[in-house]
Amino acid sequence: MTKRSCICSQRNGGFFNEFDREINIIGYAVNLTEEIIEKARQQQIEFLVTHHDSWEFIFGLKESCSKMLEESGITHAYFHAPLDDAEFGTSASLGKKLGMGGLEKVMPYAEIYYGGVIGEIEPVDFNVFRERLTDILAEQVRCYQNNENPVRKVAVAAGGGNMTTEMRIAAEAGCDTYVTGEYVLYSQQYAQHVGMNLFVGSHTNTEILGVESLVQKLSGDKEIRIIKIDEPNY
């Protein structure tokens, strides 16, 4: 098999360690770490798809991951901003799972992509919504109830959508509830200030549904084995 050169771009996406070969096993995860690559190697995964590349500011991680991918013969592809923006992407997939309709892309970045969605659900009690989100993410979520109304209009900013600049867009659009994947003090205070409910899951689990949707589209109707790689819910 012939090895190709890598194409990489930290914000958008790229490929590494490409080969001319038929792919029979695809693995997927949100993050790229040594742990993920080792699990992929053990499961004989040939093509690994993630949402994030290994972060260069986690010093030494990218070099270590690149070496492991080369030694294991695993091709890696990641799709960051484009997958956040896609109709089947991270926020959209979680929103659809929550039963949100009329999804509208919001929270622009890089002047091209969007990182969140707004939509409406059949009105439900705060605790019913909490249970629904908990079941979907398969983890405990932080919950802050900041109004007494049923949950109706929801913003989902999967992953790192915890900045007040993003939350402001949701508040000004009339959202009563905000769902994201990272917590900071300021997001809690802002949500309380504007009277918007706040739900915070993990970065990983709020984004994994979008990666899963992408892999399913890549495999199409071919007989390709798809493996979800277990990873910590950072």
Side-chain angles (χ1 to χ4, degrees):
M1 49 188 181
T2 304
K3 184 174 179 179
R4 298 175 179 169
S5 60
C6 69
I7 305 170
C8 299
S9 115
Q10 183 74 29
R11 176 177 287 275
N12 298 332
F15 293 80
F16 180 77
N17 206 38
E18 293 182 86
F19 294 92
D20 285 324
R21 60 178 172 182
E22 183 176 345
I23 298 296
N24 297 297
I25 306 175
I26 297 177
Y28 70 97
V30 171
N31 303 289
L32 183 68
T33 64
E34 296 103 332
E35 179 185 5
I36 296 296
I37 297 170
E38 177 58 23
K39 288 182 178 179
R41 185 194 65 79
Q42 291 175 2
Q43 297 179 81
Q44 299 182 314
I45 287 168
E46 300 154 330
F47 184 34
L48 175 61
V49 178
T50 65
H51 184 41
H52 304 144
D53 193 11
S54 49
W55 301 107
E56 292 180 347
F57 51 78
I58 302 178
F59 305 114
L61 178 63
K62 188 171 183 63
E63 293 79 4
S64 177
C65 287
S66 296
K67 181 179 179 182
M68 289 184 69
L69 288 168
E70 288 185 329
E71 291 176 347
S72 302
I74 298 172
T75 298
H76 172 240
Y78 75 98
F79 304 91
H80 196 186
L83 186 57
D84 285 331
D85 181 88
E87 302 291 342
F88 56 85
T90 52
S91 295
S93 290
L94 179 54
K96 291 172 184 175
K97 198 77 171 179
L98 286 165
M100 293 165 57
L103 294 184
E104 174 188 354
K105 292 196 288 187
V106 292
M107 303 167 198
Y109 59 89
E111 300 180 356
I112 301 174
Y113 302 107
Y114 287 82
V117 295
I118 286 174
E120 295 194 8
I121 63 171
E122 290 293 325
V124 295
D125 178 76
F126 177 90
N127 288 321
V128 172
F129 186 84
R130 173 183 58 79
E131 292 172 2
R132 183 183 301 176
L133 181 61
T134 298
D135 288 343
I136 292 169
L137 299 183
E139 64 185 0
Q140 292 300 312
V141 298
R142 291 188 181 217
C143 309
Y144 304 95
Q145 184 171 9
N146 294 314
N147 65 71
E148 297 300 325
N149 301 318
V151 175
R152 182 191 306 268
K153 190 169 185 179
V154 181
V156 174
N162 57 338
M163 293 292 98
T164 55
T165 49
E166 296 158 337
M167 297 177 70
R168 182 181 182 183
I169 294 172
E172 291 180 346
C175 292
D176 54 70
T177 299
Y178 191 88
V179 178
T180 190
E182 285 194 6
Y183 171 85
V184 293
L185 170 66
Y186 319 111
S187 55
Q188 181 185 351
Q189 290 181 335
Y190 182 75
Q192 184 178 29
H193 171 64
V194 298
M196 186 167 61
N197 299 323
L198 176 63
F199 291 85
V200 185
S202 66
H203 195 129
T204 296
N205 288 9
T206 56
E207 291 188 328
I208 190 63
L209 292 173
V211 187
E212 183 176 78
S213 296
L214 170 62
V215 170
Q216 289 172 347
K217 288 182 177 295
L218 289 174
S219 63
D221 57 359
K222 299 177 182 178
E223 293 184 0
I224 296 176
R225 185 181 175 197
I226 297 174
I227 299 174
K228 177 183 177 182
I229 301 175
D230 292 333
E231 58 186 319
N233 58 339
Y234 297 117

